[in-house]
Amino acid sequence: MTDLLSRLALVALVAGAVACGDHLDAPHDGPPRPDAALPADAPPLDAAVIDAPPDAPPLIDLDGDGHPADTDCDDRDPDVWQNLAYSFRDVDGDGHTVASSGTICSGASLPPGYSTTPGEPDCNDADPAAFTLVTGFVDSDGDGFGDGPAMAFCTAGTLPAGFAPVDGDCAPADPARWTNLPYSFRDADGDGAAVAQVGTVCSGAGLPPGYLVSAPGDRPLDCDDANPAVSIALTIFADVDGDGFGAGPAQLACTGGTPPPGFTTSGTDCDDRDPTAWVSLMYSAVDFDGDGATVLALGTRCTAGVLMPPYYAAPMGNDCDDGNAAVSVALTTFVDADLDGFGAGPGQLACTNGSPPVGFSL
């Protein structure tokens, strides 16, 4: 209805102009011809005319948005009518902004891509797939660790291929190694025995073979880490007679666990020239005449582990003459001149076979 009234008012204005002397081709008291020309500044016939105070020119609103043309920043677009200020732009529509100030013809609020508050910063507002800065390092071997100077990239949050987010690759050409790990022991010859050694080595997730944090619990330290055939230090003695027992000064040798030929770990051989004797045993009695009766005697003998006659650990009887196998029992006797079995005179000590000699009696 408002549009119809506006059109009627416009027709009335034109008719009034004719009545007041506008020289059109039609008579003054008749309607204007359809092809009659309108003034150059007249609005089109379908433009809205906004009520104005009496004696004021009509307010024209070409796009019908309720805002007159003289205040409408774009009277051809009913969706915009005022200039609004903005401070940030999102040209590529990725939700990230750059600082940019100005004004734009708008409706009730700023159009998409314009705002007065910042979003996440955009490093490339011309590319919706690039909006955040990431730092990377050249990763030639693809192990996830880079090397060289840091490089910045504007992306969607990920680094391009061939770059890693961390640097410090200790072996840029080896994908199996990238970090320096500490070690405290080395097994350079790979024999399972280690030596104490502190340092760092370029590694992967763990130390490479031959580098250890702690020594193997079941092995002593390696006495020669350059020779896998030897690793155990032994104190050895020369074994001249080959009986398994050595003698002489102790020597330190790096071995495979056993002494080298001609040596042994025992230094107790009491006679290294006799392969049948190697251990010293103490005796307390001897029987040199072999009559089964011993005399007390203390000493040691080099043996094969057992005392052999005429040496004994404990006495057997008490030989009164160990140089004569025929006698061994000491008796107190008396002279029996008449051989009646009874003697007389002072007693005499005799070494016998257990019986008084002839001419004597007990």
Side-chain angles (χ1 to χ4, degrees), residues 69-132:
D70 59 347
T71 60
D72 195 328
C73 55
D74 187 352
D75 204 29
R76 297 164 297 174
D77 184 350
D79 295 324
V80 297
W81 58 84
Q82 61 178 337
N83 284 308
L84 294 180
Y86 62 88
S87 302
F88 299 91
R89 289 282 283 120
D90 178 14
V91 175
D92 54 13
D94 57 9
H96 296 255
T97 63
V98 295
S100 178
S101 59
T103 60
I104 184 172
C105 190
S106 311
S109 60
L110 286 168
Y114 297 84
S115 66
T116 57
T117 57
E120 291 294 326
D122 198 333
C123 53
N124 185 354
D125 201 33
D127 184 356
F131 44 79
T132 187

Side-chain angles (χ1 to χ4, degrees), residues 137-147 163-172 177-179:
F137 305 85
V138 174
D139 182 13
S140 303
D141 54 13
D143 58 10
F145 295 84
D147 184 51
F163 291 86
V166 292
D167 65 343
D169 195 333
C170 55
R177 299 183 298 141
W178 58 82
T179 184

Side-chain angles (χ1 to χ4, degrees), residues 4-355:
L4 179 58
L5 292 175
S6 299
R7 289 174 177 271
L8 292 175
L10 179 59
V11 172
L13 285 172
V14 173
V18 172
C20 293
D22 287 343
H23 297 288
L24 302 177
D25 291 339
H28 286 275
D29 57 353
R33 288 170 46 191
D35 57 350
L38 294 175
D41 57 351
L45 293 178
D46 58 351
V49 179
I50 301 175
D51 291 338
D55 300 328
L59 300 177
I60 306 303
D61 180 11
L62 298 179
D63 54 14
D65 58 7
H67 299 272
D70 59 347
T71 60
D72 195 328
C73 55
D74 187 352
D75 204 29
R76 297 164 297 174
D77 184 350
D79 295 324
V80 297
W81 58 84
Q82 61 178 337
N83 284 308
L84 294 180
Y86 62 88
S87 302
F88 299 91
R89 289 282 283 120
D90 178 14
V91 175
D92 54 13
D94 57 9
H96 296 255
T97 63
V98 295
S100 178
S101 59
T103 60
I104 184 172
C105 190
S106 311
S109 60
L110 286 168
Y114 297 84
S115 66
T116 57
T117 57
E120 291 294 326
D122 198 333
C123 53
N124 185 354
D125 201 33
D127 184 356
F131 44 79
T132 187
L133 281 174
V134 291
T135 301
F137 305 85
V138 174
D139 182 13
S140 303
D141 54 13
D143 58 10
F145 295 84
D147 184 51
M151 303 175 67
F153 300 90
C154 185
T155 72
T158 58
L159 285 168
F163 291 86
V166 292
D167 65 343
D169 195 333
C170 55
D174 185 353
R177 299 183 298 141
W178 58 82
T179 184
N180 285 305
L181 294 181
Y183 64 90
S184 300
F185 294 87
R186 283 282 283 123
D187 179 14
D189 56 13
D191 58 6
V195 296
Q197 186 181 96
V198 176
T200 60
V201 61
C202 189
S203 312
L207 286 168
Y211 295 85
L212 308 167
V213 174
S214 58
D218 58 342
R219 297 288 296 271
L221 292 180
D222 200 332
C223 51
D224 186 351
D225 201 34
N227 184 357
V230 296
S231 63
I232 300 173
L234 293 178
T235 300
I236 60 174
F237 302 85
D239 182 13
V240 176
D241 57 12
D243 58 7
F245 296 87
Q251 303 176 48
L252 190 64
C254 190
T255 73
T258 57
F263 292 86
T264 179
T265 56
S266 172
T268 61
D269 199 333
C270 47
D271 187 351
D272 202 32
R273 297 164 297 176
D274 182 359
T276 65
W278 57 83
V279 60
S280 184
L281 295 179
M282 180 174 287
Y283 62 88
S284 62
V286 294
D287 179 17
F288 288 118
D289 58 10
D291 60 5
T294 63
V295 294
L296 294 177
L298 295 176
T300 58
R301 290 293 294 173
C302 189
T303 73
V306 178
L307 282 171
M308 301 298 291
Y311 300 93
Y312 298 90
M316 299 180 295
N318 186 15
D319 199 334
C320 51
D321 185 354
D322 199 37
N324 183 356
V327 295
S328 62
V329 180
L331 294 176
T332 300
T333 64
F334 301 88
V335 175
D336 182 10
D338 56 8
L339 302 177
D340 61 3
F342 294 91
Q348 302 177 41
L349 188 63
C351 189
T352 73
N353 61 2
S355 300

